[in-house]
mmCIF file of all heavy atoms in Angstrom:
data_model
loop_
_atom_site.group_PDB
_atom_site.id
_atom_site.type_symbol
_atom_site.label_atom_id
_atom_site.label_comp_id
_atom_site.label_asym_id
_atom_site.label_seq_id
_atom_site.Cartn_x
_atom_site.Cartn_y
_atom_site.Cartn_z
ATOM 1 N N ASN A 261 7.456 -6.916 0.935
ATOM 2 C CA ASN A 261 6.822 -7.269 -0.329
ATOM 3 C C ASN A 261 7.091 -8.710 -0.759
ATOM 4 O O ASN A 261 6.638 -9.132 -1.787
ATOM 5 C CB ASN A 261 7.220 -6.293 -1.436
ATOM 6 C CG ASN A 261 8.707 -6.253 -1.653
ATOM 7 O OD1 ASN A 261 9.434 -7.071 -1.119
ATOM 8 N ND2 ASN A 261 9.150 -5.285 -2.427
ATOM 9 N N ASP A 262 7.809 -9.428 0.042
ATOM 10 C CA ASP A 262 7.983 -10.845 -0.266
ATOM 11 C C ASP A 262 7.039 -11.634 0.629
ATOM 12 O O ASP A 262 7.179 -11.655 1.833
ATOM 13 C CB ASP A 262 9.428 -11.251 0.011
ATOM 14 C CG ASP A 262 9.672 -12.702 -0.383
ATOM 15 O OD1 ASP A 262 8.701 -13.471 -0.437
ATOM 16 O OD2 ASP A 262 10.823 -13.032 -0.613
ATOM 17 N N ASN A 263 6.084 -12.275 0.034
ATOM 18 C CA ASN A 263 5.027 -12.916 0.809
ATOM 19 C C ASN A 263 5.507 -14.123 1.600
ATOM 20 O O ASN A 263 4.814 -14.614 2.464
ATOM 21 C CB ASN A 263 3.895 -13.342 -0.129
ATOM 22 C CG ASN A 263 3.163 -12.148 -0.654
ATOM 23 O OD1 ASN A 263 3.236 -11.075 -0.081
ATOM 24 N ND2 ASN A 263 2.479 -12.317 -1.757
ATOM 25 N N ASN A 264 6.665 -14.646 1.284
ATOM 26 C CA ASN A 264 7.064 -15.897 1.917
ATOM 27 C C ASN A 264 8.146 -15.724 2.974
ATOM 28 O O ASN A 264 8.785 -16.663 3.386
ATOM 29 C CB ASN A 264 7.563 -16.865 0.846
ATOM 30 C CG ASN A 264 6.476 -17.165 -0.144
ATOM 31 O OD1 ASN A 264 5.354 -17.443 0.252
ATOM 32 N ND2 ASN A 264 6.789 -17.080 -1.405
ATOM 33 N N VAL A 265 8.336 -14.526 3.400
ATOM 34 C CA VAL A 265 9.430 -14.262 4.329
ATOM 35 C C VAL A 265 8.930 -14.184 5.756
ATOM 36 O O VAL A 265 7.882 -13.619 6.042
ATOM 37 C CB VAL A 265 10.106 -12.925 3.946
ATOM 38 C CG1 VAL A 265 11.029 -12.469 5.049
ATOM 39 C CG2 VAL A 265 10.869 -13.100 2.666
ATOM 40 N N ASN A 266 9.646 -14.790 6.636
ATOM 41 C CA ASN A 266 9.362 -14.614 8.054
ATOM 42 C C ASN A 266 10.151 -13.435 8.578
ATOM 43 O O ASN A 266 11.271 -13.195 8.174
ATOM 44 C CB ASN A 266 9.801 -15.850 8.835
ATOM 45 C CG ASN A 266 8.859 -16.999 8.594
ATOM 46 O OD1 ASN A 266 7.678 -16.794 8.313
ATOM 47 N ND2 ASN A 266 9.379 -18.190 8.688
ATOM 48 N N TRP A 267 9.565 -12.727 9.464
ATOM 49 C CA TRP A 267 10.283 -11.654 10.122
ATOM 50 C C TRP A 267 10.578 -12.089 11.549
ATOM 51 O O TRP A 267 9.786 -12.751 12.187
ATOM 52 C CB TRP A 267 9.432 -10.381 10.181
ATOM 53 C CG TRP A 267 9.213 -9.735 8.884
ATOM 54 C CD1 TRP A 267 8.248 -10.029 7.971
ATOM 55 C CD2 TRP A 267 9.952 -8.660 8.317
ATOM 56 N NE1 TRP A 267 8.334 -9.207 6.892
ATOM 57 C CE2 TRP A 267 9.377 -8.353 7.078
ATOM 58 C CE3 TRP A 267 11.050 -7.914 8.750
ATOM 59 C CZ2 TRP A 267 9.854 -7.344 6.265
ATOM 60 C CZ3 TRP A 267 11.509 -6.910 7.930
ATOM 61 C CH2 TRP A 267 10.927 -6.640 6.703
ATOM 62 N N VAL A 268 11.708 -11.699 12.022
ATOM 63 C CA VAL A 268 12.025 -11.954 13.412
ATOM 64 C C VAL A 268 12.088 -10.625 14.129
ATOM 65 O O VAL A 268 12.774 -9.711 13.707
ATOM 66 C CB VAL A 268 13.379 -12.670 13.562
ATOM 67 C CG1 VAL A 268 13.755 -12.781 15.028
ATOM 68 C CG2 VAL A 268 13.295 -14.036 12.928
ATOM 69 N N SER A 269 11.335 -10.503 15.164
ATOM 70 C CA SER A 269 11.374 -9.288 15.955
ATOM 71 C C SER A 269 11.941 -9.629 17.321
ATOM 72 O O SER A 269 11.495 -10.546 17.975
ATOM 73 C CB SER A 269 9.969 -8.721 16.111
ATOM 74 O OG SER A 269 10.006 -7.634 16.989
ATOM 75 N N THR A 270 12.946 -8.922 17.709
ATOM 76 C CA THR A 270 13.549 -9.168 19.008
ATOM 77 C C THR A 270 13.265 -7.991 19.919
ATOM 78 O O THR A 270 13.544 -6.853 19.580
ATOM 79 C CB THR A 270 15.078 -9.328 18.875
ATOM 80 O OG1 THR A 270 15.314 -10.338 17.923
ATOM 81 C CG2 THR A 270 15.689 -9.705 20.199
ATOM 82 N N VAL A 271 12.656 -8.268 21.015
ATOM 83 C CA VAL A 271 12.345 -7.209 21.977
ATOM 84 C C VAL A 271 13.252 -7.388 23.182
ATOM 85 O O VAL A 271 13.209 -8.407 23.852
ATOM 86 C CB VAL A 271 10.871 -7.287 22.420
ATOM 87 C CG1 VAL A 271 10.552 -6.151 23.378
ATOM 88 C CG2 VAL A 271 9.959 -7.255 21.217
ATOM 89 N N ASN A 272 14.114 -6.425 23.401
ATOM 90 C CA ASN A 272 14.971 -6.474 24.579
ATOM 91 C C ASN A 272 14.431 -5.517 25.623
ATOM 92 O O ASN A 272 14.323 -4.330 25.393
ATOM 93 C CB ASN A 272 16.396 -6.029 24.229
ATOM 94 C CG ASN A 272 17.056 -7.013 23.298
ATOM 95 O OD1 ASN A 272 17.147 -8.184 23.621
ATOM 96 N ND2 ASN A 272 17.497 -6.535 22.162
ATOM 97 N N VAL A 273 14.055 -6.008 26.745
ATOM 98 C CA VAL A 273 13.584 -5.143 27.811
ATOM 99 C C VAL A 273 14.687 -5.088 28.857
ATOM 100 O O VAL A 273 14.943 -6.053 29.565
ATOM 101 C CB VAL A 273 12.288 -5.684 28.434
ATOM 102 C CG1 VAL A 273 11.787 -4.736 29.501
ATOM 103 C CG2 VAL A 273 11.245 -5.883 27.369
ATOM 104 N N GLU A 274 15.357 -3.956 28.869
ATOM 105 C CA GLU A 274 16.491 -3.834 29.785
ATOM 106 C C GLU A 274 15.996 -3.627 31.201
ATOM 107 O O GLU A 274 14.988 -2.983 31.437
ATOM 108 C CB GLU A 274 17.376 -2.665 29.358
ATOM 109 C CG GLU A 274 18.095 -2.968 28.053
ATOM 110 C CD GLU A 274 19.148 -1.918 27.769
ATOM 111 O OE1 GLU A 274 19.766 -1.431 28.725
ATOM 112 O OE2 GLU A 274 19.309 -1.597 26.593
ATOM 113 N N ASP A 275 16.730 -4.148 32.158
ATOM 114 C CA ASP A 275 16.388 -4.021 33.566
ATOM 115 C C ASP A 275 14.938 -4.383 33.779
ATOM 116 O O ASP A 275 14.156 -3.641 34.374
ATOM 117 C CB ASP A 275 16.657 -2.600 34.061
ATOM 118 C CG ASP A 275 18.130 -2.297 34.012
ATOM 119 O OD1 ASP A 275 18.931 -3.205 34.302
ATOM 120 O OD2 ASP A 275 18.476 -1.177 33.671
ATOM 121 N N PHE A 276 14.620 -5.526 33.265
ATOM 122 C CA PHE A 276 13.222 -5.913 33.227
ATOM 123 C C PHE A 276 12.611 -6.076 34.614
ATOM 124 O O PHE A 276 13.169 -6.660 35.510
ATOM 125 C CB PHE A 276 13.111 -7.252 32.489
ATOM 126 C CG PHE A 276 11.752 -7.839 32.586
ATOM 127 C CD1 PHE A 276 10.736 -7.381 31.791
ATOM 128 C CD2 PHE A 276 11.495 -8.834 33.506
ATOM 129 C CE1 PHE A 276 9.482 -7.914 31.900
ATOM 130 C CE2 PHE A 276 10.231 -9.365 33.615
ATOM 131 C CZ PHE A 276 9.214 -8.908 32.812
ATOM 132 N N SER A 277 11.480 -5.498 34.776
ATOM 133 C CA SER A 277 10.628 -5.785 35.925
ATOM 134 C C SER A 277 9.260 -5.201 35.617
ATOM 135 O O SER A 277 9.115 -4.399 34.713
ATOM 136 C CB SER A 277 11.162 -5.164 37.208
ATOM 137 O OG SER A 277 10.880 -3.793 37.197
ATOM 138 N N ALA A 278 8.292 -5.603 36.352
ATOM 139 C CA ALA A 278 6.947 -5.091 36.118
ATOM 140 C C ALA A 278 6.912 -3.581 36.310
ATOM 141 O O ALA A 278 6.235 -2.869 35.596
ATOM 142 C CB ALA A 278 5.968 -5.756 37.059
ATOM 143 N N GLN A 279 7.672 -3.099 37.280
ATOM 144 C CA GLN A 279 7.655 -1.677 37.576
ATOM 145 C C GLN A 279 8.295 -0.859 36.456
ATOM 146 O O GLN A 279 7.764 0.129 36.029
ATOM 147 C CB GLN A 279 8.390 -1.388 38.896
ATOM 148 C CG GLN A 279 7.616 -1.810 40.125
ATOM 149 C CD GLN A 279 7.576 -3.330 40.288
ATOM 150 O OE1 GLN A 279 8.513 -4.011 39.898
ATOM 151 N NE2 GLN A 279 6.491 -3.853 40.823
#
Side-chain angles (χ1 to χ4, degrees):
Chain A
N261 59 10
D262 184 337
N263 290 340
N264 299 313
V265 167
N266 286 332
W267 290 85
V268 174
S269 174
T270 306
V271 182
N272 293 304
V273 182
E274 291 190 35
D275 295 323
F276 171 79
S277 77
Q279 286 72 31

